[in-house]
Each structure stands twice: as C-alpha cells, then as structure tokens.
Amino acid sequence: MDNKTIAGLLYETADLLEIDGQDSFRVRSYRNAAAAIESLPQRVADLIQEPKKLLEVPGIGKGMLANLQMLFKDGSIEAHTELLKKYRPSMLELLKIQGLGPKTIALIWSAYQVSDLEGVEKLAREGKIRTLPRMGEKHELKLLKAIEDYRRIAGRFLLDTAEELAEKLVEHLLAAPGVEKVTPAGSLRRGRETVGDLDILVTGKGCIADEARQKLIEHLLRFPGLMDVIAQGENKVSFRHRNNMQVDVRLLPPESFGAAMQYFTGSKAHNVALRQRALKMGFTLNEYSLAKVDDGKPVARKTEEEIYAKLKLDFIPPELRENLGEIEAAAAHTLPALLELSDIRGDVHMHTVETDGRCTIEEMAEAARERGYEYMAITDHSKNLAFANGLTDERALVHIERIRAVEKKMKGIRIFAGIEVDILSDGELDLSDSVLEQMDIVIASVHSQFNQDRATMTERLLKAVANPNTSLIGHPTGRLLLRRDAYQFDLDAVLKAAAEHKVAMELNAYPDRLDLSDVHLRLAKQHGVKIVINTDSHHTSHMEKLRYGVTQARRAWLRKDDVLNTLPAARFARAMKHAW
Ligand code: DGT
Ligand code: CA
Ligand code: CA
Ligand code: ZN
C-alpha cells in the first residue's frame, strides 16, 4: 500500500467522522496524519516495522500509529469500516461534489436519511434543500450545477494517475509465468488528456491453453488494490481498483496480438474509418485480424505495423489515431515527423523556495542538468500572488542577482533568469517595466479573477500579449483538468495577436493542466504561434512530467520546429525576445 492510498483512506475517515458529528479534535487528527503521510519521503509500508520512527513524524501519535498498524494487519481502519457501515459508501461520492462538505452532507442525512448522489439531486430538484438551516435557493441551484459538473467528469482520471496504475499492473502481470508482453491500449496509449478506463492487453504462452489461462487469471486477481471483479470471461477480466478506476484486461494469443493492439488502442472513430478503408480494399478488419473478404484468410495480425502496411498506410503513431486526417496523411505519406521528448533542450518555468516552490535555485538547476538539459529558467511568482509570497520589484531584482550568481558558478547548464508575472485584472503586468526588462524570460499568467466576462478577459489577455516584455503566456486557458473549466475568452483573437507580436504560448505539461490542450495547440499552429513546453515545477521531482506535454504536442501534430525550447540556448534566448 503506498502513501497516497493510506492518506486517501485517512482523509476519507476524517470526512466520515465529521459527517458523524464527532469532535473536531478527532477529525483534525486524521487530516493531519493524512497530510503528513502524503508528504512523507519514506514509505509508511517500510516504516511500519519501526514504530519509533513513525511516531517521530509530526501528526502521527500513538492512536494513529495503532490505526496504521491495524491497516497493515487487516487491510482496513476500524473507524472507516464502521462509519461506512453506518452511512454507506455512496457518502464518499457525495464528498466529491464541489461545495458539498461533510457539514452539509450531515445536515441532509439527519433531515432526510439520504446519502447518495441521485437522492440528493432529487431533493434539490424538489426544493427540499433550500428549507434546511443555513441553506437557500442559491445553494440549491449551485448544488445542482455542481452535480452536473461532477457527472461530466466523474469516472475520468488524469493521465499520470492512469499511467501509474497501468505500470503497476504491467509489472504484476509480467511476473506471471507464460506472459511475454503486457501493453496498455485505449486512451492511455493514445495519450488522451484524461482516461476513462484502462485497457490492458496480455499475450504469451500463458494465454493459450485453458489451464495456463486459468492460472494467469488467478494471478491477476491477486493484484494488490483490486477491489471487485465486474466481469470475468475466458479471455477477459474487468475489475475495479481501489482508486475507483475500471480496468479491462484481455488475454490474447500471440499470433493475433497486433490486430488486438490496433483494435483496442482505438480510437473508435479511427477504427471505423480504418475498417472502411479495409473494406474498400477487399479486407475485413477486426480485433483478430485483417483478412480477405472472399476467403477469410488473414493477411496481417501479428503486429500493427503489418496491418497498416497491408492497408498501404504509413505507420500511424497512437497519439494521432483520432480520425482527424491521419489516415489520409498516412496514405499520402505526409504524416509529420512528430516532436520527441529528446528534442527538448530546456524547461523554463520553475519555482523555488523564494515563492511557492519547495527547492532552491541550485537544487532545481542541478536536477535540470541531471536530466541532460542545455538550459532552464527560474520563474518565480510576482507579488499579486500573495499566498505564494510573490516577488515585489525589489525582491525580484535581488532574486535575479541570485540566479545569475548560481549561473556563474554552475557548469554544464545555462540558467535563465525569469519571472512568472501575474496578468492583473486590467491586463497590466504585476511588476515594473524596468524590472521585467532585465529578465531573460517573462511568462505572463492569469492567476486571479477567472470570472471576468468574455470580452473583459479577452482584452486583458490581448493587453498582456501586446506588452513588449511578455515572452510567453503561461497556462493560457487556466483550466484545471477534472476540476476547473477554462476562463472565458476569445482564444482565436489572442492567438492572432500572439503571432503578430511573436509572443509564444505555453504548453504547461503538468498532468492536471495540459494547457494549451491538443485541440488548442493545433489552432495555435494554424496561427503560426510557437509553443514552449514547460513543467511549472515546484519541486525537482516534477520535472519528469514534461513528457506529458510532449505527448499532447504530438497529439496536436507538432514537430520539433513548432516548439521553441527545442532550440539551442542562444537562439532560444532570442526567441524569448520576440525574435523567432
Ligand atoms: P476511454 O476509456 O473513455 O478513455 O477511451 P478509450 O478509447 O480507451 O475507449 P474504450 O475503453 O471504451 O475502448 C478501448 C478501445 O476499444 C477504443 O479506443 C476502440 C476500441 N473499441 C471499443 N468499442 C468499440 C466499438 O464499438 N467499435 C470499434 N471499432 N472499436 C471499439
Ligand atoms: Ca479505455
Ligand atoms: Ca475499456
Ligand atoms: Zn502559474
């Protein structure tokens, strides 16, 4: 059991205790322990044998230690199990609704004994929420909207969450005898920004004979975290994981593995178009093979490459399989040479302890150098972001000096001095021109007043783009995947202006942002706007997230020359001063 899972259980317990009306001290003790475990560098699983060390962690006392020991012994926490018996698991889903906290849920429960989403929605529609103490019609409408939002995103997961689970499962399955290959397919393989369920394909000798297959399925069912089996057939097992994600595992014979890969990678739209092409050429295409229509003889099935080749297509990378012109391009041999992770020469959006980051300039630079980057930039926040301890003009100038000093003594990497400056509500930048002028890179970002109307927000961004100090716009739409929509503005107009002023757009690679999105990146390219892919790292461990940005760029058909941080340092520096 990993720390994240343990923390999740403790948070849930805290919420349930609060719903149960227990004293706030007890509730807090669970939340504190959860927070402590979340940011603990060592694994609780390793420390559990050394209770003394666990007790040294602030937030973990004797009582909590007993809970953790119980968790590792019986696989559950007593308070959690008991409360779930009392309130049913559907309560946990209710907690995920924006604005529906434990207090309100307790209120609804005590008035109506309703504890599930459908029930609460019905109450709200019948006007029965507004009559509760401290509630009104406004609360009720907000609640209905929140339920609607939740439904739209529920059951989808961020790319890194999906990938993490897939990697564990792949490892687990590879450990079974008779397994040669295990590959994620579906939306994860295509790199879609969020993933619905996991599709895992398994092949090898163990997938052929009945007995071996039975053994393999038994092994699969021992996967840690497997919660319940949804469906089980001869070649397929669907289960739900503890993190609520559904996983479809398919066992396939090696001779048709390529056909299965092709089919289950999708997308559905790509498959439908591909099948039409196959039919026109006298073939049928399904998850077993590409075969001749007349005699049913397979002509390709072992690898995807063979299948695309037989259909007279260049190989189509999974990221492009959305039926957005890739089949036509593959037929005409005009698929782009897509950007690769190795093309990236630097990551230029990073925070340090000077504002809300957790590492020093040196630590960030060291980590960037270890990744093999030629350059990087420190871009801390500006003062408008008060909760992040953003920089004033004075502090920004001192900070530049510090960055330049580290740059001087550090060999093997170029460190640019930059800033992530807030775009204020009227479009002005948060620091003086005389300070911004001294920066190698100015990332201008919106971090406040997301609710401006479309026209105002568009003006605000246009003004920031036109500011001669702006090098690029950070996380341009402000969305947080599965949590917050983009703010309203005319992206087309902003991109047009960006092309004119030679201001770049960021592709923020952090998996909960991926901003600009693949669709927007394509639009940016059409406008001739260049992209910079950044992680926005607040810790050295965040830097590896860059690959998620590269995946989205590939999905947008971007090449190396569409992305500025593939340039050598000197040329990149000029590009940050409007000279692309
Ligand atoms: P997701 O799970 O919503 O993130 O998206 P996918 O693309 O992983 O969709 P999923 O899991 O329903 O199915 C996996 C792949 O299987 C899908 O990308 C294409 C293929 N597939 C599923 N259903 C159909 C179908 O009815 N027709 C065709 N041609 N392919 C299908
Ligand atoms: Ca899927
Ligand atoms: Ca699926
Ligand atoms: Zn930011």
Side-chain angles (χ1 to χ4, degrees):
M1 202 176 308
D2 57 13
N3 288 4
K4 215 163 121 190
T5 310
I6 300 169
L9 267 173
L10 296 178
Y11 278 126
E12 273 178 20
T13 310
D15 290 339
L16 289 166
L17 287 168
E18 200 170 356
I19 291 171
D20 202 40
Q22 303 216 13
D23 70 78
S24 56
F25 177 77
R26 182 148 185 238
V27 172
R28 215 168 326 123
S29 75
Y30 277 90
R31 286 215 179 106
N32 289 345
I37 287 170
E38 243 178 350
S39 58
L40 196 66
Q42 306 94 328
R43 283 161 43 90
V44 173
D46 298 332
L47 292 179
I48 198 76
Q49 305 302 345
E50 303 173 75
K52 275 211 187 96
K53 284 201 179 146
L54 265 179
L55 282 172
E56 280 167 21
V57 177
I60 298 184
K62 284 222 177 82
M64 201 50 65
L65 177 66
N67 277 322
L68 292 172
Q69 284 168 330
M70 189 165 32
L71 178 58
F72 276 91
K73 197 165 138 271
D74 315 332
S76 60
I77 295 173
E78 199 184 350
H80 188 265
T81 317
E82 290 306 311
L83 285 163
L84 273 192
K85 266 191 218 144
K86 186 164 168 189
Y87 292 114
R88 306 191 253 293
S90 59
M91 215 53 129
L92 295 176
E93 188 175 32
L94 278 184
L95 281 162
K96 293 184 186 146
I97 309 292
Q98 261 313 320
L100 203 54
K103 290 215 174 67
T104 314
I105 294 176
L107 206 61
I108 296 173
W109 173 258
S110 67
Y112 303 111
Q113 281 77 54
V114 164
S115 69
D116 64 316
L117 196 59
E118 281 72 30
V120 172
E121 188 179 18
K122 190 159 170 279
L123 289 174
R125 289 202 191 289
E126 292 167 351
K128 288 184 176 155
I129 300 286
R130 66 181 77 171
T131 56
L132 293 172
R134 279 172 287 117
M135 288 288 185
E137 197 180 342
K138 231 179 169 174
H139 287 106
E140 207 171 68
L141 289 174
K142 246 193 178 152
L143 179 59
L144 282 170
K145 164 91 170 56
I147 291 174
E148 193 188 308
D149 287 348
Y150 172 77
R151 286 250 167 73
R152 192 161 36 81
I153 61 178
R156 297 201 70 83
F157 296 80
L158 296 179
L159 205 42
D160 59 340
T161 312
E163 199 176 78
E164 202 179 300
L165 179 56
E167 275 167 9
K168 280 190 194 141
L169 185 53
V170 168
E171 196 185 318
H172 178 79
L173 285 165
L174 280 174
V179 171
E180 277 143 41
K181 251 190 271 179
V182 186
T183 322
S187 51
L188 177 62
R189 184 166 179 239
R190 301 199 310 281
R192 232 188 113 179
E193 61 187 29
T194 61
V195 172
D197 66 7
L198 276 186
D199 303 280
I200 305 286
L201 308 183
V202 186
T203 193
K205 281 195 215 74
C207 300
I208 306 171
D210 285 350
E211 208 175 307
R213 220 169 37 215
Q214 207 40 51
K215 281 225 172 78
L216 187 49
I217 289 182
E218 280 165 26
H219 175 84
L220 166 64
L221 295 178
R222 287 194 293 271
F223 180 56
L226 181 147
M227 219 160 55
D228 53 322
V229 174
I230 298 163
Q232 185 174 340
E234 248 175 76
N235 303 304
K236 183 185 162 187
V237 176
S238 293
F239 68 87
R240 192 166 295 283
H241 183 258
R242 196 165 42 207
N243 76 358
N244 225 17
M245 187 175 258
Q246 185 182 321
V247 185
D248 297 339
V249 180
R250 292 183 172 83
L251 311 183
L252 303 152
E255 75 269 8
S256 63
F257 194 60
M261 281 274 281
Q262 198 290 313
Y263 183 87
F264 291 110
T265 295
S267 65
K268 206 167 155 180
H270 174 87
N271 286 355
V272 169
L274 201 63
R275 203 159 47 226
Q276 277 165 356
R277 181 178 174 90
L279 279 174
K280 268 192 212 138
M281 294 171 73
F283 298 118
T284 59
L285 176 62
N286 56 31
E287 64 262 52
Y288 307 108
S289 67
L290 179 72
K292 282 194 199 142
V293 171
D294 39 20
D295 58 9
K297 271 220 178 87
V299 295
R301 52 182 179 160
K302 198 156 193 263
T303 66
E304 281 189 326
E305 282 80 359
E306 286 170 40
I307 294 170
Y308 284 103
K310 275 280 186 303
L311 291 171
K312 295 206 171 7
L313 296 171
D314 290 343
F315 182 76
I316 302 177
E319 295 95 324
L320 299 188
R321 299 184 195 169
E322 300 290 347
N323 195 30
L324 293 171
E326 73 278 9
I327 295 176
E328 295 77 0
H333 310 294
T334 56
L335 281 173
L338 297 178
L339 176 76
E340 307 265 354
L341 181 58
S342 58
D343 293 330
I344 301 290
R345 294 186 190 230
D347 184 347
V348 297
H349 183 164
M350 293 185 197
H351 300 271
T352 69
V353 285
E354 185 61 19
T355 61
D356 63 349
R358 280 155 48 205
C359 303
T360 62
I361 302 171
E362 285 89 345
E363 285 165 341
M364 297 305 274
E366 192 67 56
R369 186 170 64 180
E370 254 164 48
R371 299 190 64 77
Y373 288 142
E374 190 181 320
Y375 51 90
M376 51 100 66
I378 300 291
T379 54
D380 271 304
H381 289 292
S382 66
K383 62 182 187 294
N384 185 52
L385 215 56
F387 66 80
N389 189 25
L391 303 172
T392 57
D393 279 347
E394 294 71 29
R395 279 176 62 213
L397 289 175
V398 175
H399 201 40
I400 298 184
E401 288 315 312
R402 244 184 259 133
I403 297 167
R404 304 249 186 254
V406 176
E407 149 82 355
K408 215 170 251 159
K409 68 167 198 257
M410 193 133 169
K411 301 269 172 307
I413 187 155
R414 176 88 190 268
I415 309 170
F416 291 119
I419 188 92
E420 184 183 19
V421 65
D422 267 37
I423 302 173
L424 302 176
S425 59
D426 60 357
E428 291 290 344
L429 301 185
D430 187 26
L431 295 177
S432 309
D433 288 344
S434 62
V435 172
L436 294 176
E437 274 160 15
Q438 301 185 42
M439 303 282 176
D440 303 318
I441 298 175
V442 174
I443 305 174
S445 307
V446 169
H447 286 128
S448 59
Q449 279 158 296
F450 301 109
N451 292 329
Q452 288 177 328
D453 64 61
R454 185 179 160 93
T456 312
M457 186 61 93
T458 303
E459 278 311 308
R460 180 179 178 185
L461 284 158
L462 286 175
K463 198 158 167 193
V465 166
N467 189 309
N469 286 315
T470 303
S471 318
L472 72 149
I473 301 293
H475 40 73
T477 77
R479 71 163 177 181
L480 290 177
L481 279 166
L482 309 181
R483 277 200 312 192
R484 183 175 81 202
D485 285 341
Y487 36 76
Q488 297 295 309
F489 73 106
D490 183 349
L491 178 64
D492 223 47
V494 171
L495 290 172
K496 198 159 158 250
E500 241 167 65
H501 292 280
K502 293 209 169 3
V503 163
M505 288 289 141
E506 180 174 72
L507 161 47
N508 192 299
Y510 221 79
D512 66 350
R513 288 197 183 268
L514 300 176
D515 184 6
L516 296 175
S517 69
D518 50 4
V519 174
H520 291 158
L521 290 166
R522 273 185 103 162
L523 193 65
K525 185 177 163 120
Q526 282 167 21
H527 278 280
V529 173
K530 300 286 185 192
I531 303 300
V532 178
I533 307 180
N534 288 324
T535 55
D536 199 349
S537 285
H538 287 67
H539 189 276
T540 52
S541 64
H542 298 164
M543 285 183 204
E544 57 109 16
K545 309 279 186 196
L546 201 110
R547 61 205 165 92
Y548 297 108
V550 171
T551 302
Q552 299 312 303
R554 290 169 63 87
R555 287 177 58 80
W557 296 50
L558 297 194
R559 307 163 188 256
K560 186 177 171 182
D561 60 5
D562 296 313
V563 177
L564 293 175
N565 49 334
T566 63
L567 292 170
R571 282 185 57 201
F572 176 75
R574 283 201 295 280
M576 291 297 95
K577 301 282 178 189
H578 315 296
W580 291 349

